[in-house]
């Protein structure tokens, strides 16, 4: 870049750069079902701090062919619940054109295939955190059966060549992304910080903020931390917010993993 170009770049009134954000996907089956918004409101009430002013991407792949969809009305009802719709994922060309006309973006599919539907559950640390967010029917009445106790996990593996190692504490508002490998943090993670990894996440300190492992769809990814104080943890799209975590696991050394489609949070024997 020549000197004049450098000066022009420094004096520009804006800069554009890429970034990575955690977005919620709302998979819509039957928006005209009278239970749709009441059930969705119930889900939001389970974790109000997490859902407040949360950006949402609509997935309309399950919408019946030719079914009418009023983006203005639907996104307005979402906003009344505190959810801010920013775009559309999938859907027909007609739906995408209608979304663009309504001021929404068309978002490419997440890496690793279709996103997992999610449902926060206010239950024990070994229950599932899965299911469709705001599905058309009423929430399930019966709790998921408890899984048998798991043996104590082996020590975390040694860092691989693809691991990203961060040796300082992670401050609030900062995001760290380990692309194609594990993320290892030697220190504490502050509230409002976000850890993202295609592989596993290891925190040798207090885990506050958010930790999302296996974001490319790796269901074998795990999260390890010395003290669980997180706002949100997620493996391959299945997540649990702090309001839904077993209080007996707070400030304990834990591992978080998927087993048969269920998100587990287990204390680690020391």
């Amino acid at each position: 870049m020549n000197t004049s170009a450098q000066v022009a770049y420094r004096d520009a009134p804006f800069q554009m750069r890429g970034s990575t954000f955690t977005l919620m996907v709302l998979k819509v089956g039957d928006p005209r079902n009278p239970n749709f918004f009441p059930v969705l409101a119930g889900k939001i009430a389970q974790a109000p701090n997490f859902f407040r002013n949360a950006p949402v991407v609509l997935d309309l792949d399950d919408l019946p062919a030719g079914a009418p969809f009023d983006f203005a009305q639907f996104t307005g009802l979402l906003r009344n619940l505190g959810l801010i719709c920013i775009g559309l994922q999938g859907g027909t060309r007609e739906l995408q054109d209608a979304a663009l006309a309504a001021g929404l973006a068309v978002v490419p599919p997440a890496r690793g295939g279709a996103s997992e539907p999610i449902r926060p559950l206010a239950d024990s640390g070994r229950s599932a955190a899965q299911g469709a967010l705001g599905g058309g029917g009423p929430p399930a009445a019966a709790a998921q059966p408890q899984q048998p106790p798991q043996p104590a996990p082996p020590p975390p593996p040694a860092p691989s060549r693809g691991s990203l190692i961060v040796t300082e504490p992670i401050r609030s508002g900062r995001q760290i992304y380990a692309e194609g490998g594990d993320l290892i943090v030697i220190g504490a993670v502050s509230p409002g910080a976000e850890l993202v990894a295609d592989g596993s996440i290891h925190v040798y300190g207090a885990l506050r903020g958010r930790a999302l492992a296996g974001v490319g769809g790796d269901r074998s990814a795990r999260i390890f931390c010395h003290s669980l104080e997180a706002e949100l943890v997620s493996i391959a799209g299945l997540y649990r917010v702090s309001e839904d975590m077993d209080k007996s696991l707070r400030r304990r050394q834990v591992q978080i993993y998927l087993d048969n489609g269920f998100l587990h949070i287990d204390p680690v024997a020391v």
Side-chain angles (χ1 to χ4, degrees), residues 11 47 67 99 103 106 109 117 121 125-126 148 157 166 184 193 229 243 248 259 264:
D11 294 340
V106 176
L121 296 177
R126 298 191 54 82
V166 182
I184 300 173
E229 305 170 37
E243 290 89 344
S248 68
D259 184 20
H264 296 262

Side-chain angles (χ1 to χ4, degrees), residues 33-51:
N33 188 310
N35 289 326
F36 188 99
F37 283 98
V39 172
L40 180 57
K43 300 299 180 189
I44 294 172
Q46 293 179 353
N49 291 331
F50 173 66
F51 289 108

Side-chain angles (χ1 to χ4, degrees), residues 121-224:
L121 296 177
D123 53 11
S124 70
R126 298 191 54 82
S127 297
Q130 68 173 39
L133 171 62
Q144 295 287 348
Q146 297 292 320
Q147 299 292 323
Q150 300 292 321
S160 67
R161 180 173 297 181
S163 297
L164 173 63
I165 302 177
V166 182
T167 57
E168 71 270 7
I170 309 301
R171 297 172 182 257
S172 178
R174 187 178 178 191
Q175 183 194 69
I176 306 294
Y177 174 39
E179 183 176 5
D182 294 352
L183 174 59
I184 300 173
V185 178
I186 314 297
V189 180
S190 298
E194 186 170 78
L195 307 180
V196 183
D198 287 334
S200 297
I201 295 175
H202 309 258
V203 179
Y204 295 94
L207 171 57
R208 306 178 185 95
R210 302 182 181 188
L212 300 94
V215 294
D218 183 3
R219 291 173 172 267
S220 67
R222 298 193 176 209
I223 298 173
F224 301 89

